[in-house]
Structure formats: structure tokens, C-alpha cells
């Protein structure tokens, strides 16, 4: 129960931060505003996040949560075409991804894609190189997609990558089912 409550509070804080980022730059947003908008007390914020310098961790949490939700509802697709599944999830979360990029949080986005694609330690050297190639290459693709205004559909981007890379996206498999951040599905609640 406590884990679910912590996740819920982090989501409230993250949603408040995203809402504020729609109004003004990330660098101008302070902890008091995030707490006021979310209805979460400052003490709780500092207990969960550590401080203003950790607000990007809330955005990472939000991205991971959105991936987990997507993965839970698209499990079979996730296993058969991981690359395109991740593109679809990013497209569904494009407003958050775009806001992070436009506010100079590229490093946080890169860390998010490392965490979403890395999973467990690769079983061999070849798999490790492929996982790194995918994580950093995927980050570059997302940056270009943002710069293009998300004009292409996930399927169009996936087709372009598959054509250029000779189907390497289909060779990728998730290393694990994403961690659940303590959020119960509606069936478990």
C-alpha cells in the first residue's frame, strides 16, 4: 500500500510539474509552485524527491510510468516488436517528451531511454553492444523526431529505421517487463 501511495504522490508532483512547464520554462519553476499545484506538501516533496535539483527525476518517473502502462496493455506487441512499441509509447507521451527537450532536459531524456531499453545485464558482448546502440541511437531518433514536430507516425519512423538498419529493430527484445513503480493495475486494485 505504501509503495502505491508513494507512486501516486510522485505522479501528482510530476503532473503538476508538467502542467507548470506548459506555462513557463522549467528553470523558472520552484518547489513551492509544484507543491501548490499538486496539493502535496513541501515536506513530502523533499522526502520523495530530495530538492529542486531532483525535479527532473519526477519527469523520469512519469516517462517510466507511461512506459509501464503501455507495456501492461500491449505485452504481446512489446515482445514481438520492441522498437516500434517504444516509438508508439513515445508518441503517446510526445507532449512530455517535447517539453523536456525544449527545456534543455536532453540528459534526463537520454537517461530515461537508457533505463527503458537496457533492462538486465546483456547475456553476451554482442547483445550488450546492440543494446547500447539501440539506447543511444533511439535517443538520437527521438531528438530528430521532436525537431520534426512529431510529423511522422510511429509506424513511419519504424519503417524508416527498419529500411535503413536492415530490420535490426525486430531483433531487439525487451530485457525485462518494466518495473511497475508501485502502481497497481485496475485488475489488482
Amino acid at each position: 500500500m505504501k509503495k502505491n501511495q508513494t507512486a501516486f504522490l510522485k505522479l501528482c508532483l510530476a503532473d503538476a510539474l508538467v502542467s507548470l512547464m506548459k506555462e513557463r520554462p522549467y528553470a523558472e519553476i520552484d518547489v513551492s509552485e509544484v507543491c501548490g499545484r499538486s496539493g502535496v506538501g513541501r515536506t513530502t516533496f523533499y522526502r520523495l524527491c530530495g530538492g529542486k535539483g531532483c525535479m527532473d527525476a519526477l519527469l523520469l518517473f512519469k516517462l517510466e510510468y507511461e512506459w509501464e502502462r503501455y507495456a501492461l496493455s500491449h505485452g504481446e506487441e512489446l515482445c514481438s516488436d520492441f522498437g516500434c512499441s517504444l516509438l508508439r509509447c513515445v508518441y503517446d507521451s510526445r507532449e512530455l517528451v517535447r517539453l523536456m527537450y525544449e527545456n534543455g532536459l536532453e540528459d534526463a531524456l537520454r537517461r530515461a531511454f537508457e533505463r527503458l531499453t537496457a533492462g538486465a545485464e546483456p547475456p553476451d558482448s554482442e547483445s550488450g553492444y546492440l543494446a547500447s546502440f539501440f539506447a543511444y541511437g533511439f535517443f538520437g531518433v527521438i531528438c530528430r523526431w521532436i525537431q520534426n514536430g512529431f510529423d511522422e507516425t510511429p509506424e513511419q519512423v519504424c519503417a524508416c529505421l527498419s529500411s535503413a538498419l536492415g530490420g535490426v529493430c525486430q531483433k531487439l527484445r525487451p530485457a525485462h517487463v518494466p518495473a511497475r513503480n508501485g502502481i497497481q493495475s485496475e485488475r489488482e486494485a
Side-chain angles (χ1 to χ4, degrees):
M1 180 67 172
K2 185 165 173 74
K3 192 174 184 180
N4 282 340
Q5 184 179 14
T6 299
F8 174 76
L9 292 171
K10 282 184 173 183
L11 283 173
C12 288
L13 289 164
D15 288 340
L17 178 56
V18 170
S19 175
L20 289 164
M21 288 172 66
K22 292 175 188 175
E23 298 170 10
R24 66 181 170 285
Y26 173 83
E28 296 176 10
I29 300 169
D30 65 32
V31 171
S32 295
E33 293 173 294
V34 174
C35 291
R37 179 80 51 107
S38 68
V40 175
R42 288 174 58 93
T43 302
T44 302
F45 175 90
Y46 286 113
R47 182 177 51 80
L48 296 174
C49 304
K52 177 173 173 42
C54 297
M55 284 200 306
D56 63 337
L58 290 171
L59 299 172
L60 288 172
F61 182 85
K62 177 74 173 167
L63 277 174
E64 289 173 353
Y65 172 78
E66 294 302 328
W67 171 243
E68 291 164 12
R69 280 187 36 199
Y70 187 90
L72 286 171
S73 62
H74 296 85
E76 207 169 292
E77 169 196 319
L78 181 76
C79 290
S80 67
D81 196 347
F82 179 65
C84 285
S85 294
L86 201 47
L87 287 171
R88 287 182 193 102
C89 180
V90 167
Y91 190 77
D92 289 350
S93 302
R94 65 188 173 275
E95 183 176 46
L96 171 59
V97 172
R98 183 187 51 77
L99 283 169
M100 290 176 71
Y101 182 83
E102 290 174 352
N103 279 276
L105 299 170
E106 293 96 339
D107 192 51
L109 275 173
R110 182 192 48 76
R111 285 193 320 269
F113 294 125
E114 282 177 342
R115 287 160 64 167
L116 293 176
T117 60
E121 186 65 30
D124 56 55
S125 183
E126 184 178 320
S127 296
Y129 284 120
L130 183 59
S132 293
F133 173 79
F134 183 72
Y136 290 96
F138 190 78
F139 171 69
V141 167
I142 297 305
C143 289
R144 173 60 58 194
W145 203 13
I146 294 166
Q147 293 164 1
N148 290 345
F150 286 102
D151 285 345
E152 302 90 359
T153 66
E155 291 72 23
Q156 289 171 318
V157 174
C158 194
C160 179
L161 291 175
S162 291
S163 173
L165 299 174
V168 75
C169 291
Q170 283 75 28
K171 294 178 185 175
L172 296 168
R173 298 287 180 258
H176 69 290
V177 175
R180 300 258 320 267
N181 281 334
I183 302 295
Q184 286 183 328
S185 69
E186 292 172 10
R187 287 174 283 186
E188 295 173 324

